[in-house]
Amino acid sequence: MDNFMMIETGVQGKIGLITLNRPKVLNALNRQMIHEIVQALEEFDRRDDVRVTVLSGKGRAFAAGADIEEMADEDAIHMEWMNQFADWDRISMIKKPVIGAVHGFALGGGFELALACDLLFAADQAQFGFPEVNLGVMPGAGGTQRLTKLIGKTKALEYIWTGETMTASKAEKLGIVSRLVAPELLIEETMRFAASLAEKAPLSIRFSKEAVYKALDYSVYEGMQYERKNFSLLFSSEDQKEGMRAFKEKRLPLFKGK
Ligand code: CAA
């Protein structure tokens, strides 16, 4: 893997690991760090030996937002020319599952990065929120869109307008977090889940991820046509034959992603 400065990466079994590594500034997300996260995600997406990626943060936070030091003196025209959010867009193009393991603060861009994951496991002390209104800005890396799709206009506006933090248990009730875990078990439990996901038929996981995201943008009818095509496509895979043969032979299937 590339020589990263802002993140650590590794592979455990079939799981790619990305750990945000600026703990002194609570993993504040500067442009280089986002670039490295995207590079690592894309590399894991291409590798045959990796089936799931787990994203977490080192130190006492997942990420306390975009790096305020870096953007405090920015001007709008320079930001437009940099097209810095293009890297964030690339996260949406990752095809394999990305599971976020969130502890401590997930604020501003940190919350947006969490929302860009497919599923979130959270320590029960985690705190989510959009404090941008206290800085004279607003969420800029997908927060207004992803949060609204997830929890609806009313609650999204409430959190975006007040800047209040949301407890992990509230985030779980609102459907943002998939599972709550004791902080000391967060990585272990997330890895356990990721490992079980890595044993499922990879193409089934991939095509169902695509289809579920279509549900956020398409009408039900159009989404169902998309789903049907992916469903049919899976019948051209070896894994579909293996999965159904294994069922009939009363044994566990061995999936290859082919
Ligand atoms: N950017 C840059 N540095 C940050 C940071 C950020 N987002 N968040 C924390 N830090 C730094 C602090 O400046 C501090 O550095 P020093 O030790 O050099 O002073 C260090 O991390 C530790 O932070 P605190 O001492 O503040 O820790 P705390 O426990 O007292 O407070 C906190 C924690 C409430 C999260 C507080 O750090 C905070 O409010 N951080 C900013 C949160 C925020 O506003 N995030 C939104 C950013 S804007 C954004 O993300 C826009 C977007 O949509 C893309």
Side-chain angles (χ1 to χ4, degrees), residues 145-161:
Q145 305 304 298
R146 287 204 169 98
L147 189 65
T148 307
K149 297 264 188 200
L150 259 179
I151 69 174
K153 179 257 311 177
T154 304
K155 283 286 164 193
L157 273 180
E158 185 187 319
Y159 282 103
I160 290 166
W161 278 353

Side-chain angles (χ1 to χ4, degrees), residues 21-242:
N21 189 20
R22 297 183 82 204
K24 282 192 185 140
V25 286
L26 307 183
N27 296 320
L29 299 159
N30 59 18
R31 289 188 279 271
Q32 176 65 25
M33 194 188 221
I34 289 294
H35 191 64
E36 291 183 8
I37 292 167
V38 172
Q39 278 184 300
L41 282 170
E42 287 177 344
E43 177 149 351
F44 288 145
D45 220 32
R46 283 191 296 267
R47 275 173 67 154
D48 286 342
D49 57 334
V50 171
R51 291 194 178 167
V52 180
T53 298
V54 168
L55 182 62
S56 64
K58 196 176 248 189
R60 64 187 174 95
F62 176 73
D67 188 334
I68 298 169
E69 282 290 325
E70 186 180 62
M71 69 185 156
D73 296 322
E74 269 303 344
D75 72 81
I77 303 301
H78 180 240
M79 282 173 64
E80 173 58 29
W81 282 117
M82 266 192 310
N83 194 14
Q84 71 178 75
F85 291 116
D87 268 340
W88 288 83
D89 291 342
R90 284 160 61 195
I91 301 177
S92 314
M93 293 160 80
I94 299 298
K95 300 264 187 166
K96 292 176 187 168
V98 180
I99 315 293
V102 177
H103 74 290
F105 298 107
L107 301 178
F111 192 6
E112 289 170 307
L113 183 62
L115 289 170
C117 296
D118 299 315
L119 283 182
L120 291 180
F121 275 46
D124 49 26
Q125 43 72 285
Q127 293 181 54
F128 300 83
F130 284 124
E132 282 91 339
V133 285
N134 302 320
L135 296 168
V137 288
M138 59 180 273
T144 60
Q145 305 304 298
R146 287 204 169 98
L147 189 65
T148 307
K149 297 264 188 200
L150 259 179
I151 69 174
K153 179 257 311 177
T154 304
K155 283 286 164 193
L157 273 180
E158 185 187 319
Y159 282 103
I160 290 166
W161 278 353
T162 61
E164 277 172 16
T165 52
M166 188 191 294
T167 61
S169 103
K170 187 77 186 169
E172 196 248 353
K173 284 194 186 79
L174 288 170
I176 297 168
V177 163
S178 167
R179 299 211 194 153
L180 288 187
V181 187
E184 63 279 12
L185 296 177
L186 177 65
I187 296 299
E188 192 181 320
E189 288 296 317
T190 312
M191 293 297 283
R192 194 200 309 274
F193 176 83
S196 72
L197 197 54
E199 294 310 319
K200 307 287 183 206
L203 289 165
S204 303
I205 298 293
R206 185 184 193 87
F207 290 167
S208 50
K209 169 169 166 166
E210 270 181 5
V212 165
Y213 282 102
K214 291 294 176 204
L216 299 176
D217 291 329
Y218 281 18
S219 69
V220 172
Y221 180 78
E222 283 174 303
M224 281 169 59
Q225 305 314 302
Y226 190 92
E227 174 192 82
R228 206 158 296 163
K229 289 211 165 51
N230 276 6
F231 178 77
S232 301
L233 190 52
L234 287 169
F235 282 79
S236 64
S237 70
E238 289 175 25
D239 283 350
Q240 175 268 326
K241 303 288 175 288
E242 162 66 6

